[in-house]
Amino acid sequence: MSTDTPGIDPLQALRAPRDPACDVFLTGPVFLDIIFTGLDSAPVRGTESWARGMGSSPGGVANMATALARLGLRTSLAAAFGDDHYGEYCWDALEQGEGIDLSMSHTVPGWHSPVTVSMAYEGERTMVSHGHEAPAPAGAPVSTGTTGAPAGAPVSTGTTAPTGAPASTGTTAPTGAAAPVPAFPRCPPRARAAIASLAPGRSEPWVATAARNGAMVFADVGWDETGRWDLDALPDLAHCEAFLPNAEEAMRYTRTDCPRAAAHALAERVPLAVVTLGAEGAYAVDGRTGVAAAVPAIEVEALDPTGAGDVFVAGFVTGTLADWPLADRLAFAGLTAALSVQEFGGSLSAPGWAEIAAWWQLIRTCASQDPAALERYAFLDDLLPTTARAWPLRRAVPTIGFRQ
C-alpha cells in the first residue's frame, strides 16, 4: 500500500477480520515506458525532433497497479519481469516505491523487458513498442480461444497495454510436485476485486476462478481487430461485475449510435456498465437498480494522457469497493484521471490522496469556480485530511536511475 498519505484507507470502515488480505488482483505485462513530451508536432519522416521533456517509468499493467496502490488499495500483481536493468528498475519501483505485492510475479532469466516509447503532442500520443512473449513457467495453464493476433505474436493479458504486448503468467509447481493449492493463473489470490482486459475469442482461466472466489471482476476491452464486435465473443464478460469500454467500443458492440443508449444496452449483460466519453466525461448504468449517472470531465491542460484510462478504472474500482453512490464513483474516477494527465509517465503520474486533497483545497479558493459544479465533489470532505501537504510521490525522470 502506498504511504502517500498515511492513515487514508478508503475501505477502513468496511474491513473485517476474515476479509481477503488483497483488495485488488491483476495480471499482465510490465513495460518500461519512455515518454517524450513537449513536442510541437508529430515526428516528420527524415527529420530529427527534439522533445522538451522526457521521463521513464514502469508501464503496461503497472499503470493500473500503481494507480490502485496510490489510492490505498492493497494491490497484488502477477507479472513477468525482464532479467535486465529495466526489469530490476520496474520491480523496485512497484514493490519498494509503491508497496505493491509482487509475490506472484517472477523474473524470467535471459528475457529482456518489453519497451514502449510514447510521444505526446497536441493532446494525443503516438507509441512504438517492442517486446517478445515471456516464456510460460512449466505446467502453467494457458488461455483458451484465439486472440486474433498472428501466429507467434505476443499476447496481452489483464491490462490496457497495446495489442501485441507480451503475456505474463505466474509460476506453478513442477510436474509431479505436491501442490495442494494450484498456483496462478489457475488459482489467483482471494481478493475483493480483480481487473481483466477482454479480447474476442479469448477466455482467461483465472477470471472465472476469481469470480467464483468472490472477487468483483472489472473489465475493459480493446479494439476488435476482427471487426465482428460481438459481445458473445467475450466469454469472460459473463463473470464481470463491471464493464468499462469507451464510447466508440460500446456503440460498436451494441449496434447503437449513442453512448448512453449503449450503456443501457450493456447493463442488460453486466451489473454495471460504464462508458467513458473522453472530454465529455462518463456515463454509467447500474443494471440491478436501473440507476444511471453522468458526470462531465474536468477541464485541465493535459501534458501526457498515457495511463489516464487506467487511472479512471482505478478510481471507479476504489469507489465501488467503498460502496459509494454511482455518481460519486464516476466523479472520483474522472478527477483522478484529470490529475494524472498533468504529469507525464503512465504509472508514476497517478495521483495519491495528498494530491487529491491539495486539488480540493485549491479549487475551492478559485473565485471563478461554479458552486454547483463544486458540489459534485463535496463527498471528498468526508474522505480527506483537513490540511493538505506537499505530495512526495515518485515521478518519471529522464533516466532509470542515477549513481549514488
Side-chain angles (χ1 to χ4, degrees):
M1 177 178 169
S2 171
T3 56
D4 162 52
T5 305
I8 292 191
D9 177 359
L11 307 185
Q12 182 175 6
L14 303 175
R15 297 195 186 278
R18 295 188 179 183
D19 283 348
C22 172
D23 291 330
V24 186
F25 170 77
L26 67 167
T27 181
V30 172
F31 285 66
L32 175 74
D33 280 356
I34 301 173
I35 307 99
F36 292 104
T37 64
L39 290 165
D40 294 323
S41 63
V44 178
R45 180 181 178 182
T47 67
E48 181 179 15
S49 299
W50 279 82
R52 291 187 291 275
M54 173 184 170
S56 302
S57 66
V61 74
N63 295 341
M64 185 83 73
T66 301
L68 292 162
R70 288 186 171 185
L71 293 177
L73 298 182
R74 300 166 185 173
T75 304
S76 175
L77 170 64
F81 285 78
D83 185 24
D84 52 17
H85 288 306
Y86 289 170
E88 182 181 11
Y89 160 73
C90 289
W91 187 293
D92 174 75
L94 298 176
E95 183 179 59
Q96 302 301 321
E98 305 299 335
I100 295 168
D101 174 19
L102 297 181
S103 61
M104 299 196 74
S105 295
H106 65 289
T107 297
V108 181
W111 180 69
H112 75 76
S113 300
V115 176
T116 291
V117 175
S118 176
M119 292 163 280
Y121 57 89
E122 298 175 356
E124 292 295 337
R125 57 182 173 154
T126 296
M127 297 182 291
V128 178
S129 298
H130 171 75
H132 303 281
E133 184 174 358
V142 297
S143 306
T144 59
T146 60
T147 64
V155 179
S156 172
T157 59
T159 179
T160 55
T163 301
S168 65
T169 59
T171 57
T172 58
T175 303
V181 179
F184 177 81
R186 194 186 304 273
C187 187
R190 185 166 164 258
R192 295 173 185 267
I195 298 177
S197 187
L198 308 184
R202 189 184 74 202
S203 177
E204 299 289 346
W206 71 267
V207 175
T209 303
R212 283 196 301 271
N213 290 342
M216 289 192 288
V217 179
F218 296 77
D220 61 10
V221 68
W223 191 258
D224 185 356
E225 299 292 348
T226 71
R228 293 176 57 202
W229 298 100
D230 181 7
L231 287 172
D232 291 331
L234 304 175
D236 289 333
L237 188 64
H239 307 298
C240 293
E241 170 72 15
F243 186 41
L244 300 95
N246 65 32
E248 186 66 23
E249 294 160 349
M251 289 188 291
R252 286 178 179 267
Y253 270 116
T254 58
R255 310 295 193 270
T256 58
D257 57 5
C258 168
R260 295 192 177 205
H264 284 277
L266 290 172
E268 298 176 2
R269 303 288 294 264
V270 291
L272 276 172
V274 181
V275 177
T276 56
L277 309 175
E280 296 180 16
Y283 185 78
V285 179
D286 186 326
R288 294 191 180 100
T289 65
V291 171
V295 173
I298 297 175
E299 293 186 11
V300 295
E301 184 174 345
L303 174 64
D304 176 18
T306 303
D310 296 321
V311 175
F312 180 94
V313 173
F316 189 80
V317 170
T318 300
T320 301
L321 293 182
D323 200 26
W324 299 347
L326 185 58
D328 290 355
R329 299 180 225 172
L330 279 187
F332 185 73
L335 168 60
T336 55
L339 292 177
S340 77
V341 303
Q342 296 178 85
E343 300 283 348
F344 61 86
S347 61
L348 302 186
S349 68
W353 286 105
E355 283 178 304
I356 295 167
W359 174 84
W360 183 230
Q361 186 178 68
L362 174 64
I363 204 70
R364 289 180 294 176
T365 65
C366 297
S368 60
Q369 285 298 321
D370 178 5
L374 288 179
E375 186 63 27
R376 172 61 274 163
Y377 300 91
F379 67 93
L380 292 174
D381 283 332
D382 296 329
L383 299 169
L384 301 173
T386 55
T387 58
R389 61 179 175 81
W391 43 89
L393 296 182
R394 191 170 184 170
R395 292 300 187 197
V397 294
T399 182
I400 62 172
F402 292 98
R403 296 185 183 276
Q404 299 297 318

